[in-house]
Amino acid sequence: MDTRRKLEVLADAAKYDASCASSGSKSTRRGSRLGSTEGMGICHSYTPDGRCVSLLKLLLTNYCVYDCKFCVNRVSSDTPRARFTVAEVIDLTVEFYRRNYIEGLFLSSGIVGSIDGTMEQLVAVARGLREGHGFGGYIHLKLIPGASAELVAEAGRWADRLSANIELPTAQDLHQLAPEKTRADITGTMTTVADGIAERAADRKAGLKAPVFAPAGQSTQMVVGATPTTDGVILGTADELYRTQKLRRVYYSAYSPTPHADARLPALRPPLLREHRLYQADWLLRFYGFEVSEVVAPGANLALDVDPKLAWALANRDRFPVDVNAAPRELLLRIPGVGVRNVERILAVRRHHALTVADLRALRVNWKSAAPFVLTGDHNPALRKLDTVGLKKSVQPTLFDDLDGYA
Amino acid sequence: MIVTAPDFAAWRGAARALLAAEVSPADVLFDDGTAPGLFAAAELPPVPAGPALEVPRAFVALAESVSCHRDPQRWGRLYRALWRLTRGEPHLLDLATDDDVAWLFRAEKSVRRDAHKMKAFVRFRKVGEHFVAWHRPDHRIVRRVAPFFRRRFPEMHWSVLTPDDSVTWDREGLHFGPGVSARDAPPPDVLEDMWKTYYRATFNPARIKLKAMKKELPVRHWATLPEAALIPDLLAEAADRVAAMVQHSEGTPSAADFLPATRDLDGLRAAARDCTACGLCGPIVPPVFGTGPADARIALVGDQPDTSGAADELLDTALEEAGIDRAAVYRTTAVKQTAFAERDGAREPRRANAREVGACRPWLLAELAALRPAVIVCLGPLAAKAVLGPLFRFTERRGEVLPAGGTIAIATHFPATILRAPEEARAEIWAELVTHLARALELAGAGYHPPSHYSSRVPY
Ligand code: SF4
């Protein structure tokens, strides 16, 4: 099989992986002869599915002995198979990089032979790029859960980011749909990475010149919609991972019908809007100081018709209106339509003069959402308005605004 | 007065002089040289000696960035901001809602975004040993962005050409030159097809979000992006591809769908009669379930029902040699019906494939769970993988005692292997088989506690 055909098969097989970002590495590796990681988060292209192409996202092989039901590469799927050599992946990465098509490589693999044998191959690609080509671009390696700690440690030396997929929000879901994977193996591998990162940070704090270890941290991915598990449980799992494993990102991937899907899975269009709401809720947890329990109850799902921040405001009307000239930062962050950056700007402006509606408009806050919830010198939404039944309708952005008429 | 300011350095010098001479922003008009001025530029007042005026560092950075903007207003806006900063409004930049500040912030954002797009959308094409790109930025940002490419591609000899400026890196220095028209852009190189192949393959037709895409990949850049030419086709095909995907959910049904609520051996056996999960069974060839006493201490798992009886006979002999009472063991298989292949018009048994083994596995696991034997003996690699997980390596680990879902298992040869093995190897295989069986007998009596570190790897 020629390289081009392999590329076709192995990029196609990798596209269901949600992570694509190349962000998180703060500086370029010393001594690199080709590539840098200073342009954090550069997306070199976008596909019509609205996702960015930042990394060359490939599988080393899509042969796999596992039978995870949601995965197009599971052993029982009749998808076409291919296998790259280590040299082929290195070559493609370098040549694509030289033309400025990509920020680096995202490499994953089906599991063949043994767990460590597969992991070794992934590590060999990263090592070859760094040592053989002085490659300083971004590398994200997917870890095979259960791989030996030595291999994970070596992966951390060459890669910017590591990730082991949690796959599904609960251990029962995993047991049902990915029978060969165990939560213990997955979290064990995550812990090895978290320990490696913590160890390096401690060494550096002590003034030692510690070798790099996954400078862009670790992330994970969860398939959403393949089981009936609720958003409350999903976000609970994510929150726990952020806290215990210090993950940088949790990616949510709406279960997408694959060309060779298992019949027990929903042959539906992927729940994209739900995925979008999960990302919004996740954002609230990480940057807005929300607790999971404020965003959604464990047994419930996020509302699809309003974003989670607006939903919280509507459910907590007694906390509003918020006086933008007096409220503390935490409260400003809770106003619908006002983002983190604008909160900082409001705080800066109000040190010098009181804000008016014109000021908020000049900051381009989403006035339609924000108006009933804020109080300025010249704007006092009658409390009556906050109590109206129709409020939700009047502040709600057009449904599917950001989904381009999909759904 | 009119002041010529073609670039940042010229503006900066002029602004210093004007500020020192207390020329109010209302009295000065900056001409950035893009259009021929109606009036001749005025002489700048002399800069008086003495320390330069201090302005916040943030303003210098802002001004440098805004100076790349194409809007002719920029110099006037910057001068007015400078004037206000030094005349009683030192906190001007905090006032994001002020008209001047808001304009400058927007201009800065526009330049930043354009610089970001340039870093992303420059596409080098290889011409000999030289990498050349043609790109069309919105603002005059070539000098601002060039150092980024120098740091990124130090070993390459490259040029970036734009309608206003061009820059070349010869591995020693950056050299700036005049603009180049789109006609003089380099031709595609061989790798572009690979890139398009990648682009096409990485797109998921089930998730079209065109508006989101156009927001990030503005249509005005499409002309210089080779992959953009594919977009109309990808969109046109998408609906059909999704329909095909949904339809093609041919799936691998699984016996899990047929498992009954009560999972004792009789219940399982009865329910299995309806199983059509993998297609091997049917009304005429119902599943062949395990046989043997329900309280057996030893369960033997083969690959599939033995149609000839030859393998069973050999197994009986081996059991006898190992000292096992064959009436006391439970015998079952990984797949509950024999697979056949057509060859030259004749039907002959074949090995079950991964899809069939996977589909049937729920029966096997339920059967073993109901039986709770003290020891499971897996006969051959296929049965061993069904019991011990797909990564089990038969050649290396047969004969080892391994934990398996709350009990223990040992993998050994499938008796019929002996018939296929070369003459000289047979005795050895046979001896191993008997030894392993004897070990199983011993374990069935002894009770055994698996080492705890294994337990997380057990697949069921
Ligand atoms: S071989 Fe197993 S899975 Fe296939 S139809 Fe028979 S019982 Fe069902």
Side-chain angles (χ1 to χ4, degrees):
Chain A
M1 198 185 278
D2 69 348
T3 311
R4 189 199 168 110
R5 175 69 188 137
K6 291 184 187 176
L7 178 64
E8 205 163 49
V9 171
L10 294 168
D12 189 294
K15 74 177 165 213
Y16 303 100
D17 220 299
S19 51
C20 65
S22 58
S23 48
S25 263
K26 284 184 204 77
S27 62
T28 301
R29 274 165 201 260
R30 236 181 291 149
S32 56
R33 305 194 302 275
L34 170 72
S36 59
T37 51
E38 62 175 290
M40 271 178 35
I42 294 183
C43 303
H44 288 256
S45 194
Y46 293 80
T47 50
D49 51 14
R51 287 193 301 181
C52 91
V53 181
S54 156
L55 304 171
L56 174 60
K57 201 195 284 184
L58 294 178
L59 292 188
L60 197 53
T61 175
N62 65 339
Y63 287 99
C64 186
V65 295
Y66 281 179
D67 199 27
C68 307
K69 299 298 174 220
F70 49 81
C71 176
V72 64
N73 304 313
R74 66 184 193 286
V75 64
S76 56
S77 152
D78 61 0
T79 192
R81 308 280 173 171
R83 181 188 298 230
F84 271 132
T85 63
V86 167
E88 277 171 325
V89 177
I90 291 176
D91 197 49
L92 270 175
T93 308
V94 167
E95 289 305 319
F96 276 11
Y97 198 91
R98 285 198 173 125
R99 283 157 183 82
N100 203 40
Y101 295 160
I102 51 167
E103 280 296 287
L105 174 68
F106 170 102
L107 190 63
S108 180
S109 181
I111 300 164
V112 269
S114 66
I115 289 175
D116 277 354
T118 307
M119 195 64 235
E120 244 161 47
Q121 294 269 303
L122 294 172
V123 169
V125 171
R127 188 197 311 119
L129 278 166
R130 298 287 192 222
E131 290 200 322
H133 293 267
F135 183 69
Y138 195 85
I139 299 179
H140 180 161
L141 287 189
K142 185 118 272 174
L143 298 171
I144 312 291
S148 72
E150 297 78 62
L151 279 168
V152 173
E154 199 189 345
R157 217 161 104 209
W158 308 122
D160 291 281
R161 171 165 288 183
L162 298 176
S163 60
N165 279 354
I166 193 86
E167 307 288 16
L168 292 161
T170 71
Q172 292 89 302
D173 289 348
L174 195 68
H175 181 74
Q176 198 190 334
L177 295 184
E180 286 97 13
K181 291 189 179 158
T182 69
R183 201 30 111 55
D185 270 355
I186 295 168
T187 51
T189 298
M190 281 181 180
T191 307
T192 311
V193 178
D195 289 351
I197 292 171
E199 204 173 297
R200 168 160 202 263
D203 283 354
R204 290 192 34 121
K205 215 166 161 198
L208 299 171
K209 247 203 190 154
V212 287
F213 188 94
Q218 69 167 325
S219 60
T220 193
Q221 166 168 318
M222 224 188 284
V223 174
V224 173
T227 58
T229 302
T230 59
D231 293 344
V233 173
I234 290 170
L235 286 170
T237 299
D239 187 53
E240 192 189 318
L241 291 172
Y242 284 130
R243 280 184 292 105
T244 58
Q245 307 284 7
K246 304 271 179 295
L247 293 191
R248 290 279 181 90
R249 283 293 302 271
V250 173
Y251 289 94
Y252 306 91
S253 168
Y255 171 71
S256 175
T258 59
H260 308 273
D262 187 279
R264 269 172 306 160
L265 290 170
L268 296 171
R269 294 182 165 238
L272 289 190
L273 187 55
R274 181 175 178 202
E275 177 190 286
H276 182 66
R277 293 284 180 248
L278 281 168
Y279 277 117
Q280 289 177 318
D282 185 273
W283 201 256
L284 293 182
L285 303 185
R286 287 187 297 147
F287 301 110
Y288 286 75
F290 280 77
E291 302 279 334
V292 180
S293 57
E294 292 181 287
V295 180
V296 62
N301 284 317
L302 292 163
L304 290 180
D305 57 347
V306 277
D307 73 68
K309 195 174 171 191
L310 187 54
W312 182 85
L314 287 168
N316 292 275
R317 296 181 202 197
D318 55 314
R319 313 272 197 102
F320 294 97
V322 167
D323 182 350
V324 294
N325 288 305
R329 194 170 177 278
E330 307 79 66
L331 256 183
L332 294 178
L333 281 170
R334 302 224 160 189
I335 306 173
V338 177
V340 174
R341 197 177 163 84
N342 270 333
V343 166
E344 299 311 329
R345 287 187 163 165
I346 288 169
L347 289 170
V349 170
R350 82 184 191 190
R351 279 204 295 275
H352 307 288
H353 67 72
L355 287 107
T356 61
V357 175
D359 288 316
L360 292 182
R361 285 187 185 273
L363 290 175
R364 305 199 166 178
V365 309
N366 181 344
W367 188 244
K368 188 178 167 194
S369 301
F373 300 102
V374 295
L375 193 67
T376 66
D378 59 345
H379 170 80
N380 183 358
L383 286 176
R384 241 181 312 118
K385 175 126 200 230
L386 264 180
D387 290 334
T388 52
V389 185
L391 179 61
K392 178 168 167 185
K393 197 150 185 236
S394 72
V395 293
Q396 162 182 342
T398 333
L399 191 52
F400 307 129
D401 255 357
D402 29 27
L403 284 173
D404 198 26
Y406 182 78
Chain B
M1 70 193 294
I2 296 172
V3 174
T4 318
D7 58 31
F8 184 64
W11 173 83
R12 187 181 191 151
R16 262 199 199 127
L18 292 166
L19 212 53
E22 307 203 5
V23 180
S24 138
D27 296 333
V28 53
L29 203 68
F30 287 90
D31 169 12
D32 72 350
T34 49
L38 276 183
F39 304 98
E43 277 291 309
L44 283 172
V47 184
L53 270 171
E54 295 213 348
V55 290
R57 195 186 299 271
F59 178 74
V60 180
L62 178 70
E64 269 171 352
S65 172
V66 170
S67 72
C68 300
H69 201 282
R70 224 175 258 285
D71 193 325
Q73 287 185 55
R74 66 194 183 285
W75 303 126
R77 290 274 191 179
L78 283 170
Y79 183 59
R80 195 154 61 221
L82 189 58
W83 176 267
R84 292 174 60 191
L85 271 171
T86 53
R87 299 232 167 198
E89 293 183 82
H91 302 296
L92 183 64
L93 293 189
D94 277 348
L95 307 180
T97 61
D98 175 272
D99 182 54
D100 280 329
V101 178
W103 190 92
L104 291 173
F105 280 180
R106 271 203 300 280
E108 190 264 344
K109 188 174 169 192
S110 173
V111 168
R112 187 167 13 99
R113 194 172 144 90
D114 196 33
H116 190 81
K117 293 294 179 211
M118 178 165 169
K119 291 174 187 175
F121 297 159
V122 152
R123 294 280 187 269
F124 287 114
R125 288 166 157 174
K126 203 170 177 195
V127 182
E129 286 308 302
H130 193 164
F131 289 84
V132 187
W134 194 86
H135 179 72
R136 193 203 313 267
D138 291 340
H139 303 297
R140 304 204 52 170
I141 52 171
V142 169
R143 279 169 190 272
R144 197 173 171 76
V145 181
F148 167 83
F149 287 108
R150 181 194 63 213
R151 291 189 295 274
R152 175 157 287 194
F153 303 110
E155 279 201 336
M156 277 161 42
H157 181 191
W158 56 259
S159 300
V160 178
L161 317 173
T162 81
D164 297 305
D165 315 87
S166 59
V167 58
T168 291
W169 165 255
D170 58 6
R171 298 198 200 90
E172 271 161 25
L174 289 171
H175 307 285
F176 295 92
V180 174
S181 88
R183 281 194 313 276
D184 299 319
D189 75 10
V190 285
L191 224 76
E192 229 162 80
D193 266 350
M194 279 288 207
W195 175 237
K196 288 187 188 168
T197 300
Y198 176 69
Y199 184 77
R200 176 182 278 278
T202 201
F203 157 61
N204 184 349
R207 309 179 47 122
I208 291 186
K209 289 193 204 168
L210 199 57
K211 206 158 106 194
M213 177 208 193
K214 284 186 176 161
K215 192 167 145 241
E216 301 299 339
L217 192 75
V219 177
R220 65 179 187 284
H221 285 298
W222 287 18
T224 58
L225 301 170
E227 69 275 18
L230 299 176
I231 295 168
D233 278 354
L234 290 179
L235 290 174
E237 298 162 11
D240 285 349
R241 280 175 67 190
V242 176
M245 275 158 88
V246 172
Q247 232 170 41
H248 197 87
S249 290
E250 106 289 340
T252 43
S254 153
D257 295 343
F258 298 88
L259 286 181
T262 34
R263 300 191 183 167
D264 54 34
L265 285 175
D266 289 335
L268 289 171
R269 214 170 271 142
R273 250 172 255 134
D274 296 328
C275 184
T276 53
C278 72
L280 290 181
C281 299
I284 305 168
V285 277
V288 180
F289 235 66
T291 52
D295 61 351
R297 301 277 295 158
I298 299 176
L300 302 174
V301 182
D303 52 5
Q304 54 187 339
D306 178 21
T307 44
S308 66
D312 275 347
E313 245 171 67
L314 272 172
L315 183 58
D316 284 347
T317 317
L319 286 172
E320 215 167 289
E321 255 186 56
I324 299 176
D325 170 8
R326 57 185 150 110
V329 299
Y330 185 88
R331 300 187 195 195
T332 188
T333 53
V335 181
K336 305 297 182 217
Q337 195 42 272
T338 314
F340 284 93
E342 295 275 341
R343 196 189 285 165
D344 305 325
R347 258 163 64 89
E348 31 180 86
R350 62 162 168 85
R351 271 219 280 171
N353 63 33
R355 197 174 64 85
E356 290 150 353
V357 176
C360 205
R361 194 156 175 254
W363 287 130
L364 175 64
L365 300 188
E367 197 181 5
L368 291 172
L371 197 69
R372 299 211 127 270
V375 189
I376 301 165
V377 179
C378 309
L379 301 167
L382 196 143
K385 285 188 184 196
V387 173
L388 292 162
L391 284 179
F392 180 76
R393 308 189 107 185
F394 183 82
T395 36
E396 288 150 35
R397 309 202 64 183
R398 64 173 190 273
E400 281 181 44
V401 178
L402 300 162
T407 173
I408 51 171
I410 184 166
T412 187
H413 300 280
F414 187 69
T417 333
I418 301 199
L419 302 175
R420 293 191 296 268
E423 189 72 49
E424 62 277 14
R426 287 186 189 168
E428 199 183 320
I429 294 176
W430 184 258
E432 249 191 50
L433 172 60
V434 172
T435 313
H436 295 155
L437 288 172
R439 176 98 177 97
L441 176 63
E442 193 185 314
L443 290 164
Y448 171 84
H449 303 285
S452 61
H453 67 273
Y454 274 125
S455 55
S456 72
R457 298 278 169 80
V458 179
Y460 77 92

